[in-house]
Amino acid sequence: MATEAPGVAPQDREAIDAYEAALHAFAERLNLVHISGGTPSYATVAAASVRPRLTTTGLNEMLTGKRLPTLEALLEYLRVVTTPSGLDKPAAAKFRADAALIQEWRGRWQDAKLLQRRAQAANRRVRAAARQAHDDAGRDAEALRTEAHAEAERIRTSAHTDAEDIRA
């Protein structure tokens, strides 16, 4: 969960937190499917995928909750992980996952996707607020730098004048 940030509306924080929690829960459940499927290596799952082709990086991101997979990638993952062992490659490629399992995961994915969309709008607003704060801080810093240079010049001029008065 993220910490409070100035300029972030509470509803935006709630939307972002809700999506992060849903993504984490989604990944945990996917890991249970992975474990119940015998914990095949990511390389094995990727090699057995047909359409879309899964990658080890994509599988890692999916199972660690780094990102929500596409629906197509999720369904292919479920197909591969639930394919019975011992099938030859052509039969394994034609295997279809249980319809009830697919329906259950489609619903979970849709719920997470809805929260992701809400969080995307909130993230855009948070990024815009952060950009504005950054730009404002840059302008403030430049104004302080200019003011400091002017003050330093006044001090230098005064010191120079005082030094000339002492010499005279």
Side-chain angles (χ1 to χ4, degrees), residues 12-55:
D12 286 344
R13 181 77 274 142
E14 289 170 13
I16 293 166
D17 288 347
Y19 172 63
E20 289 174 356
L23 185 59
H24 176 75
F26 189 86
E28 277 191 6
R29 288 184 190 115
L30 269 183
N31 276 290
L32 292 175
V33 172
H34 187 242
I35 292 166
S36 68
T39 319
S41 71
Y42 292 177
T44 300
V45 174
S49 66
V50 179
R51 180 173 267 147
R53 277 308 231 173
L54 303 175
T55 65

Side-chain angles (χ1 to χ4, degrees), residues 4 11 32-33 46 51 57 78 82-83 89 93 102 108 118 133 137 140 150 157:
E4 283 298 312
Q11 64 271 21
L32 292 175
V33 172
R51 180 173 267 147
T57 301
L78 293 171
T82 61
T83 298
K89 199 163 180 110
I102 295 299
R108 287 180 179 169
R118 289 178 184 157
D140 291 349
T157 302

Side-chain angles (χ1 to χ4, degrees), residues 26-164:
F26 189 86
E28 277 191 6
R29 288 184 190 115
L30 269 183
N31 276 290
L32 292 175
V33 172
H34 187 242
I35 292 166
S36 68
T39 319
S41 71
Y42 292 177
T44 300
V45 174
S49 66
V50 179
R51 180 173 267 147
R53 277 308 231 173
L54 303 175
T55 65
T56 57
T57 301
L59 290 166
N60 182 41
E61 290 176 346
M62 181 187 323
L63 292 169
T64 59
K66 186 172 183 179
R67 71 176 173 89
L68 185 66
T70 64
L71 180 58
E72 294 77 18
L74 170 66
L75 297 178
E76 181 63 2
Y77 169 78
L78 293 171
R79 185 196 68 76
V80 171
V81 174
T82 61
T83 298
S85 60
L87 293 180
D88 62 13
K89 199 163 180 110
K94 291 179 183 177
F95 177 79
R96 296 291 171 243
D98 178 67
L101 179 72
I102 295 299
Q103 192 60 26
E104 172 189 347
W105 278 97
R106 186 183 302 270
R108 287 180 179 169
W109 182 87
Q110 289 170 342
D111 292 344
K113 188 67 174 178
L114 178 60
L115 291 172
Q116 181 189 50
R117 287 186 178 176
R118 289 178 184 157
Q120 285 172 336
N123 273 322
R124 279 192 297 275
R125 288 188 292 272
V126 168
R127 281 192 303 275
R131 268 191 309 275
Q132 185 63 49
H134 178 268
D135 293 348
D136 291 349
R139 281 190 295 278
D140 291 349
E142 181 59 31
L144 283 172
R145 186 182 74 75
T146 301
E147 189 177 305
H149 280 273
E151 182 63 19
E153 183 60 31
R154 282 191 292 278
I155 292 169
R156 189 183 69 72
T157 302
S158 175
H160 183 63
T161 302
D162 289 349
E164 295 224 352

